[in-house]
Amino acid sequence: SQQGEEDPQALSIQEGENATMNCSYKTSINNLQWYRQNSGRGLVHLILIRSNEREKHSGRLRVTLDTSKKSSSLLITASRAADTASYFCATLYSSASKIIFGSGTRLSIRP
Amino acid sequence: DVKVTQSSRYLVKRTGEKVFLECVQDMDHENMFWYRQDPGLGLRLIYFSYDVKMKEKGDIPEGYSVSREKKERFSLILESASTNQTSMYLCASSYGHSNQPQHFGDGTRLSIL
């Protein structure tokens, strides 16, 4: 399977702390995307990072990409209760025409 | 904002029934996708379509078919529903090239009894 793998599978932190999630993949990619899914809802696109980029920011989100290690990380700073959700990475492999989703990280923010 | 609407949030059907899941998007997107989501397995692509009347098999097309007669509508059909097709079904659409972000509907939780 070419599916990306998120790590950890579940993460519980205190409100205000930073949350870091990781994604590893197997072969060369064109881009990598991060999505959020609130319970019982569809996925929402958060950020896209291209293979020639190393870091990207969007508000409290910071994404890094290390193509030599075939990995990406999503950092959420100053977490809030509303950040409680599942987070998925999705990769567009150079050899494929569709993106492939990982199995996700469940993030819980404790008040 | 892009809106992707799935016809039902919850659906209960019986084994052997023919089931239709409908998806409509309002942003003139070329690409539309059907996924199923199961615990621990993430999202798995069933079928996708790059244009009207075009369809491509995804990773798990067995037991499913699709129809795209109009650009804004993409239907998923379970020809003869089975209990192992109980799942959350998510529809998505995107613009242009396959590397563009996808916009998702809220999903249909389908139970086959």
Side-chain angles (χ1 to χ4, degrees):
Chain A
S1 167
Q2 290 185 309
Q3 190 178 46
E5 296 292 332
E6 284 95 339
D7 172 58
Q9 290 187 325
L11 179 62
S12 179
I13 62 172
Q14 204 75 31
E15 192 168 13
E17 293 180 340
N18 295 341
T20 299
M21 288 158 273
N22 303 295
C23 171
S24 60
Y25 56 91
K26 295 183 179 177
T27 60
S28 63
I29 60 171
N30 286 338
N31 68 49
L32 187 144
Q33 303 176 29
W34 284 92
Y35 289 78
R36 182 187 75 232
Q37 184 181 32
N38 291 94
S39 180
R41 306 298 296 271
L43 279 72
V44 175
H45 180 261
L46 295 176
I47 199 162
L48 181 152
I49 187 164
R50 292 183 171 79
S51 59
N52 60 353
E53 297 175 310
R54 292 296 166 258
E55 189 170 311
K56 207 158 182 181
H57 296 254
S58 176
R60 294 184 295 114
L61 305 181
R62 173 177 166 244
V63 168
T64 60
L65 179 64
D66 187 335
T67 52
S68 66
K69 294 181 179 178
K70 293 186 172 58
S71 68
S72 174
S73 67
L74 170 66
L75 168 68
I76 303 174
T77 60
S79 64
R80 305 168 181 169
D83 295 327
T84 293
S86 291
Y87 292 82
F88 295 85
C89 69
T91 45
L92 177 66
Y93 288 96
S94 305
S95 59
S97 58
K98 58 188 188 297
I99 65 175
I100 298 174
F101 288 84
S103 53
T105 293
R106 290 190 316 279
L107 174 65
S108 298
I109 308 298
R110 303 189 303 272
Chain B
D1 266 358
V2 176
K3 190 155 181 67
V4 179
T5 303
Q6 294 184 230
S7 52
S8 306
R9 290 296 306 275
Y10 302 93
L11 204 55
V12 180
K13 296 291 182 181
R14 296 208 173 273
T15 303
E17 280 192 69
K18 190 168 186 176
V19 181
F20 293 85
L21 302 183
E22 305 287 346
C23 176
V24 177
Q25 51 95 2
D26 66 358
M27 281 300 292
D28 205 35
H29 283 171
E30 289 87 353
N31 310 318
M32 296 190 75
F33 308 84
W34 275 106
Y35 296 90
R36 63 176 284 176
Q37 184 177 26
D38 300 289
L41 296 178
L43 273 72
R44 293 181 291 167
L45 182 63
I46 305 171
Y47 268 97
F48 59 106
S49 169
Y50 288 139
D51 202 349
V52 176
K53 297 194 186 294
M54 291 184 63
K55 59 185 178 183
E56 298 277 348
K57 291 181 180 179
D59 300 315
I60 51 164
E62 296 79 18
Y64 303 94
S65 62
V66 290
S67 172
R68 191 152 180 216
E69 295 296 318
K70 293 184 177 181
K71 192 174 186 179
E72 66 271 19
R73 185 180 297 270
F74 193 35
S75 303
L76 179 69
I77 304 154
L78 285 65
E79 298 291 343
S80 177
S82 63
T83 55
N84 63 11
Q85 292 178 310
T86 291
S87 186
M88 169 71 99
Y89 289 87
L90 291 164
C91 175
S93 70
S94 71
Y95 172 74
H97 194 272
S98 54
N99 65 358
Q100 295 299 309
Q102 295 186 9
H103 302 266
F104 283 80
D106 277 339
T108 295
R109 188 165 293 281
L110 175 65
S111 296
I112 307 297
L113 305 179

